[in-house]
């Protein structure tokens, strides 16, 4: 029996290190699946039979990675590490000391009159910033790991400048027109470390800004104990506890209003700005904010299982499923760095032998090595996808993995359910037609039949009916999705459903032509009559379909309702292709038949009866399904609000995210390639090394900020 475990993991120097470790763990015989989310510091492992201990996992990673890692179970991770920790200030201090020594040497030590002192001071300034990098290289060599990474490249470049300057000074190499300043050796590694600090700050601040905006988990709850109110941590609340909600407070857990009334800001969940009114017996969800009034809630879900905790868990674990783009750049990074290493050495050798100007040749080769680090790409691209998922959650859309962002961009056909998707699923009985019985007898039989169903029609039929007197008298219950209900109530067989369903049970029904939904009812084989229900079309349904058509998505309506109803709804919202009187398995067949095309197939439904179709589609949307465990488990995208326009929004966000990721890749490669070409042509001269550092760490910071800006984009 396989078992999935999620760990917190930190300590990797760069995404390359994480990718190398992930690839090695994937080869372990005990592991079925593994994914390392470098951005969110998560390690996802699915074990086959035997679960490895944390120490064993560390030992396996240590076979290919020298970084000292902190690995713990996510449940044991109490709080996030601060950005400005002790290590940050130590690194900042040594950068300052290194720069001060280098500047002092440049100003007060005469380079030509006292070269030995200048060499010692510049070497000291370089080593102060370089010692941890050299230590990493040493560990790689001892553990027989591939040492060709940014640590080796930066060390060769900075030390190479000092060695080159020394050889020129003692005329071992001819100087020619090209001068080497030992200051460059110290500045290169100091600038690199400064860039690393900014990169660390910007990356972590970006992730925290996104998480903080979408994380509306309350930090306290007002527990009502008798007549006393005590402030407690929400994680301590139990089902059936009572809590007080005051104006401006975030509701900590899901609950039911037992007293009071007010208005709630639900924008954190649904993305919609309009507040909603709540009163006694209304259900409220965690993460919403009380804007006016006062509420006493009965807790219905513990903190860990509440709506906002589920959402945050989905968002934070979305990094387990990576996009093709992310997988590509991971493979690309493994090839890119060694390739540029070879280019740098080849350039130095060829230029040196052809021109004889070895100082310029070696200096240019060292500058190329500095440009080699692919961090601008391998950090900013996954961060862009994380920002895209964060942006979607701000709009009330939960995307369960960055790989689904790729899929959303490729949707060509959307199969969509009618009830609760294009309509409000708030049916009203508009006609009652008893047959040889009193109207109330027909309605009572209908209420009994629908009392245990979770179907949207059933829920609206019995919404305001007291069902307590029915439940204990039902001895058997059977519901056939899309057909009807059969149950035994006090020894009497009650049927409620379609004409065809009752006919199968030998009950003769009237064949009714109506644009509403018709429910036929019988008791002990006697036909009691039928009711007609109508469901209101969502006011934004037509606009949603138009928006989807505008981005090239074909919309097909699949419904279990009869042709007249489906035809009317399709006409009103602008859907050309529709199919009616379908059972859930027939909807699934439509989806499966349309798979394996260039364009992907999506299905949007209520997440209950439509679960097989949601699972079968390339992308499954659950409408308003966060309260349904079935929807959360099976859907790829969960829409917090029953609003089909959110499907369009999710596709637009996915496309914007991919554009940012591709922009980061192209710009990073062009900048690095441009700098390398300028170095190869000898146009940067002595500034080549400094520009190379800026093209590495400076570019990384800019690309990270570009990814973060995606989180604040507006979606039309």
């Amino acid at each position: 029996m396989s078992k999935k475990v999620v760990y917190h993991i930190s300590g990797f120097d760069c995404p390359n290190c994480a990718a190398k470790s992930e690839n090695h763990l994937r080869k372990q015989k005990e592991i079925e699946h593994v994914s390392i989310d470098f951005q969110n510091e998560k390690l996802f492992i699915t074990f086959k039979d035997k679960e490895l201990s944390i120490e064993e996992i560390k030992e396996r990673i240590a076979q290919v990675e020298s970084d000292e890692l902190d690995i713990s179970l996510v449940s044991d991770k109490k709080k996030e590490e601060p950005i400005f920790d002790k290590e940050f200030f130590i690194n900042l201090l040594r950068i300052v000391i290194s720069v001060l020594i280098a500047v002092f040497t440049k100003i007060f030590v005469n380079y030509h009159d006292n070269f030995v002192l200048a060499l010692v001071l510049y070497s000291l300034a370089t080593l102060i910033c370089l010692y941890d990098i050299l230590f990493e290289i040493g560990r790689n060599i001892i553990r027989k790991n591939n040492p060709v990474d940014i640590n080796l490249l930066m060390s060769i470049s900075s030390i190479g400048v000092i060695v080159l300057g020394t050889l020129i000074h003692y005329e071992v190499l001819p100087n020619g027109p090209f001068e080497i300043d030992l200051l460059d050796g110290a500045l290169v590694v100091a600038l690199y470390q400064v860039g690393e600090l900014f990169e660390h700050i910007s990356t972590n601040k970006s992730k925290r800004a996104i998480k903080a905006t979408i994380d509306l988990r309350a930090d306290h709850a007002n527990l009502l104990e008798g007549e006393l109110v005590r402030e407690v941590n929400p994680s301590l609340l139990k089902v059936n506890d009572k809590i007080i909600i005051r104006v401006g407070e975030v509701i900590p857990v899901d609950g039911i209003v037992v007293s009071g009334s007010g208005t709630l800001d639900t924008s954190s969940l649904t993305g919609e700005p309009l507040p909603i009114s709540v009163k006694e017996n209304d259900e409220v969800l965690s993460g919403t904010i009380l804007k006016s009034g006062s509420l006493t809630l009965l807790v219905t879900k513990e903190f860990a299982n509440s709506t906002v905790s589920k959402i945050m868990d989905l968002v934070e674990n979305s990094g387990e499923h990576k996009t093709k783009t992310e997988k590509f750049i991971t493979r690309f990074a493994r090839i890119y760095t060694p390739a540029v290493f070879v280019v740098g050495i080849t350039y130095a050798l060829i230029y040196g032998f052809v021109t004889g100007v070895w100082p310029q040749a070696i200096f240019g080769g060292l500058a190329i090595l500095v440009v080699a680090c692919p961090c601008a790409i391998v950090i900013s691209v996954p961060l862009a996808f994380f920002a895209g998922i964060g942006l979607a959650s701000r709009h009330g859309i939960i995307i369960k993995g960055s790989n689904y962002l790729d899929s959303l961009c490729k949707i060509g056909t959307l199969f969509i359910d009618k009830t609760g998707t294009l309509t409000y699923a708030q049916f009203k009985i508009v006609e009652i037609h008893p047959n040889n019985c009193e109207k109330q007898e027909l309605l009572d039989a209908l209420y009994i039949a629908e009392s245990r169903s979770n179907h949207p029609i059933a829920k609206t039929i019995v919404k305001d009916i007291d069902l307590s007197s029915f439940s204990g008298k039902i001895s058997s219950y059977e519901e056939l999705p899309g057909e009807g209900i059969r149950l035994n109530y006090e020894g009497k067989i009650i049927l409620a459903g379609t004409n065809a369903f009752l006919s199968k049970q030998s009950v003769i029904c009237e064949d009714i032509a109506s644009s509403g939904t018709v429910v036929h009812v019988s008791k002990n084989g006697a036909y009691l009559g039928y009711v007609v229900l109508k469901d209101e079309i969502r006011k934004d349904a037509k606009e949603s379909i138009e928006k989807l058509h505008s981005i090239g998505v074909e919309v097909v309506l699949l419904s279990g309702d009869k042709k007249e109803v489906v035809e009317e709804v399709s006409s009103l919202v602008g859907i050309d292709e529709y199919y009616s009187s379908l059972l859930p398995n027939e909807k699934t067949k439509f989806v499966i038949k349309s798979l394996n095309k260039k364009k992907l197939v999506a299905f949007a439904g209520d997440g209950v009866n439509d679960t097989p179709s949601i699972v079968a589609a390339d992308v499954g949307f659950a409408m308003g399904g966060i309260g349904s465990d079935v929807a959360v488990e099976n859907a790829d995208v969960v829409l917090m609000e029953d609003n089909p326009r959110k499907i369009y929004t999710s596709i637009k966000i996915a496309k914007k995210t991919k554009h940012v990721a591709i922009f980061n890749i192209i710009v990073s490669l062009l900048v690095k390639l441009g700098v390398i070409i300028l170095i190869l042509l000898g146009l940067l001269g002595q500034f080549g090394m400094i520009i190379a550092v800026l093209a590495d760490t400076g570019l990384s910071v800019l690309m990270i900020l570009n990814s973060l800006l995606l989180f604040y984009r507006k979606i039309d």
Side-chain angles (χ1 to χ4, degrees):
M1 180 71 72
S2 60
K3 179 183 179 183
K4 178 180 172 182
V5 185
V6 183
Y7 303 90
H8 166 85
I9 186 167
S10 60
F12 286 118
D13 279 343
C14 66
N16 279 343
C17 305
K20 183 168 59 178
S21 301
E22 178 186 302
N23 190 51
H24 183 67
L25 287 176
R26 192 173 287 117
K27 298 174 184 176
Q28 306 304 305
K29 63 180 181 180
E30 300 90 348
I31 294 175
E32 182 179 302
H33 171 77
V34 63
S35 178
I36 297 178
D37 183 1
F38 175 77
Q39 301 295 332
N40 293 310
E41 298 183 333
K42 293 280 184 71
L43 167 63
F44 305 89
I45 299 181
T46 301
F47 295 101
K48 292 178 181 176
D49 296 309
K50 178 192 173 186
E51 180 181 341
L52 298 177
S53 68
I54 289 177
E55 287 306 314
E56 287 176 314
I57 294 171
K58 285 184 176 180
E59 288 172 7
R60 304 292 172 91
I61 294 177
Q63 293 171 4
V64 295
E65 179 52 51
S66 59
D67 293 338
E68 290 293 335
L69 302 177
D70 172 29
I71 304 177
S72 61
L73 289 170
V74 166
S75 56
D76 296 334
K77 191 69 182 175
K78 302 302 180 185
K79 60 180 181 178
E80 282 188 312
E81 296 296 328
I83 294 175
F84 301 104
D85 54 9
K86 182 179 178 182
E87 184 179 353
F88 172 86
F89 287 108
I90 290 174
N91 287 335
L92 181 61
L93 179 62
R94 64 194 184 112
I95 290 171
V96 171
I97 293 172
S98 175
V99 171
L100 287 176
I101 292 173
V103 171
F104 171 82
T105 306
K106 183 69 175 177
I107 296 173
F108 297 105
V109 178
N110 190 308
Y111 187 83
H112 298 287
D113 293 343
N114 200 341
F115 180 79
V116 174
L117 178 59
L119 175 62
V120 169
L121 291 175
Y122 280 131
S123 298
L124 177 62
T126 302
L127 288 173
I128 288 173
C129 280
L130 196 64
Y131 72 84
D132 58 331
I133 297 175
L134 293 172
F135 180 69
E136 287 293 328
I137 296 170
R139 284 203 301 188
N140 277 334
I141 294 172
I142 291 171
R143 295 182 179 181
K144 299 179 181 179
N145 296 334
N146 180 10
V148 182
D149 57 16
I150 187 59
N151 293 321
L152 179 64
L153 303 182
M154 190 55 61
S155 300
I156 291 174
S157 299
S158 55
I159 294 174
V161 170
I162 293 176
V163 171
L164 191 59
T166 303
L167 293 175
I168 291 173
H169 178 79
Y170 289 109
E171 299 181 351
V172 176
L173 288 176
N175 187 15
F178 196 77
E179 292 187 10
I180 298 293
D181 193 335
L182 297 186
L183 175 65
D184 284 349
L187 283 185
V188 164
V189 70
L191 279 174
Y192 170 75
Q193 292 286 15
V194 169
E196 288 289 292
L197 284 184
F198 276 110
E199 193 176 281
H200 175 75
I201 293 169
S202 56
T203 303
N204 284 282
K205 277 191 170 292
S206 299
K207 291 188 291 185
R208 291 189 182 193
I210 295 168
K211 286 182 181 180
T213 305
I214 62 178
D215 188 356
L216 273 178
R217 286 177 287 200
D219 56 7
H220 75 277
N222 305 312
L223 178 63
L224 183 62
E225 297 177 322
E227 295 183 355
L228 299 176
V229 177
R230 182 165 63 94
E231 191 172 291
V232 299
N233 190 296
S235 61
L236 300 176
L237 294 175
K238 300 181 182 66
V239 174
N240 293 327
D241 279 346
K242 288 185 178 180
I243 57 176
I244 303 294
I245 310 296
R246 303 185 179 102
V247 172
E249 289 184 331
V250 177
I251 295 178
V253 292
D254 297 354
I256 295 174
V257 180
V258 292
S259 67
S261 62
T263 57
L264 293 178
D265 177 0
T266 63
S267 60
S268 58
L269 299 184
T270 66
E272 297 301 317
L274 295 177
I276 63 168
S277 298
V278 291
K279 59 184 185 308
E280 194 172 327
N281 295 325
D282 284 345
E283 183 181 358
V284 296
L285 301 179
S286 56
T288 55
I289 302 171
L290 185 64
K291 303 300 289 183
S292 66
S294 177
L295 303 175
T296 301
L297 301 185
L298 181 72
V299 176
T300 56
K301 289 183 181 178
E302 293 182 354
F303 182 70
N305 296 320
S306 62
T307 297
V308 76
S309 294
K310 282 183 182 179
I311 292 171
M312 284 307 300
D313 190 50
L314 289 172
V315 172
E316 289 178 353
N317 291 334
S318 61
E320 177 184 5
H321 307 288
K322 298 176 181 178
T323 66
K324 290 181 180 179
T325 307
E326 290 174 286
K327 291 176 182 176
F328 164 75
I329 61 171
T330 300
R331 294 192 298 268
F332 166 80
R334 289 201 297 264
I335 300 170
Y336 172 79
T337 303
V340 178
F341 182 76
V342 172
V343 170
I345 293 175
T346 304
Y347 166 80
L349 292 173
I350 293 175
Y351 192 96
F353 280 118
V354 171
T355 66
V357 186
W358 282 99
Q360 188 168 346
I362 296 172
F363 189 82
L366 295 176
I368 289 173
L369 297 187
V370 174
V371 187
C373 180
C375 285
I377 300 172
V378 294
I379 294 178
S380 69
V381 171
L383 182 59
F385 284 106
F386 181 60
I389 289 173
L391 175 60
S393 68
R394 287 181 66 189
H395 285 268
I397 303 164
I398 308 303
I399 299 172
K400 293 173 68 173
S402 55
N403 57 319
Y404 298 119
L405 288 166
D406 264 351
S407 299
L408 283 166
C409 295
K410 302 173 185 175
I411 292 176
T413 302
L414 170 67
F415 290 107
I416 194 165
D417 183 40
K418 176 179 69 68
T419 304
T421 307
L422 295 176
T423 66
Y424 286 105
Q426 295 175 353
F427 289 84
K428 294 180 181 178
I429 298 176
V430 294
E431 296 178 36
I432 304 172
H433 297 275
N435 180 62
N436 297 324
C437 69
E438 295 295 324
K439 182 187 293 186
Q440 195 57 48
E441 184 181 357
L442 168 61
L443 291 176
D444 285 345
L446 178 65
Y447 298 150
I448 292 167
E450 306 290 2
S451 62
R452 289 192 177 182
S453 176
N454 280 320
H455 193 279
I457 293 179
K459 287 184 175 182
T460 53
I461 288 174
V462 299
K463 183 179 180 183
D464 298 317
I465 306 300
D466 182 6
L467 303 175
S468 58
S469 60
F470 299 149
S471 56
K473 300 176 183 178
I474 298 174
S475 57
S476 67
Y477 177 89
E478 181 185 13
E479 181 173 352
L480 298 176
E483 295 188 48
I485 295 167
R486 175 189 172 95
L487 59 84
N488 187 316
Y489 179 78
E490 293 185 324
K492 297 169 184 172
I493 302 300
I494 296 177
L495 305 175
T498 64
N499 187 330
F501 176 69
L502 268 69
S503 296
K504 287 179 184 177
Q505 314 291 323
S506 301
V507 177
I508 299 174
C509 304
E510 297 181 46
D511 189 10
I512 309 301
S514 172
S515 61
T517 298
V518 178
V519 180
H520 297 273
V521 183
S522 74
K523 184 193 297 182
N524 273 352
Y527 181 55
L528 298 183
Y530 67 92
V531 298
V532 178
L533 302 99
K534 282 202 171 181
D535 187 10
E536 185 182 354
I537 296 174
R538 292 183 176 277
K539 62 181 180 181
D540 44 22
K542 182 176 176 61
E543 182 195 3
S544 302
I545 301 303
E546 290 173 350
K547 288 280 189 183
L548 288 166
H549 285 161
S550 71
I551 56 174
V553 176
E554 178 189 7
V555 183
V556 180
L557 177 57
L558 303 180
S559 177
D561 218 330
K562 59 185 181 178
K563 183 180 178 181
E564 293 85 356
V565 177
V566 178
E567 186 176 31
E568 181 182 25
V569 171
S570 299
S571 175
L572 290 172
V573 301
I575 294 177
D576 296 325
E577 189 175 355
Y578 58 87
Y579 299 90
S580 59
S581 304
L582 298 176
L583 297 175
N585 65 305
E586 292 174 323
K587 294 180 184 179
T588 306
K589 287 179 182 177
F590 269 98
V591 174
I592 293 173
K593 186 179 178 181
S594 301
L595 296 175
N596 303 318
K597 295 181 179 179
K598 287 184 179 180
K599 292 283 188 176
L600 299 188
V601 172
F603 184 91
D606 61 14
V608 183
N609 292 334
D610 294 318
T611 297
S613 299
I614 288 174
V615 173
D618 294 310
V619 182
F621 292 90
M623 305 292 292
I626 198 66
S628 165
D629 291 335
V630 175
V632 172
E633 183 67 28
N634 293 288
D636 306 315
V637 182
V638 181
L639 309 180
M640 293 300 301
E641 187 184 22
D642 294 328
N643 187 341
R645 197 181 193 282
K646 299 290 185 181
I647 300 173
Y648 164 80
T649 303
S650 66
I651 295 173
K652 288 289 287 185
I653 289 173
K655 290 185 175 182
K656 284 185 181 291
T657 301
K658 195 156 189 178
H659 290 161
V660 170
I662 292 172
F663 175 86
N664 286 356
I665 293 171
I666 292 174
V667 169
S668 297
L669 289 177
L670 286 178
V671 169
K672 288 178 178 291
L673 181 62
V675 171
I676 290 173
I677 290 172
L678 291 175
I679 292 170
L680 292 175
L681 295 175
L683 299 177
L684 296 182
Q686 293 172 241
F687 297 103
M689 193 68 71
I690 304 299
I691 292 174
V693 174
L694 293 176
D696 172 34
T697 54
L699 182 64
S700 295
V701 173
L702 289 176
M703 293 299 98
I704 288 167
L705 292 176
N706 187 48
S707 295
L708 175 62
L709 288 175
L710 171 66
F711 183 64
Y712 300 99
R713 292 278 181 90
K714 288 187 177 181
I715 307 296
D716 57 7

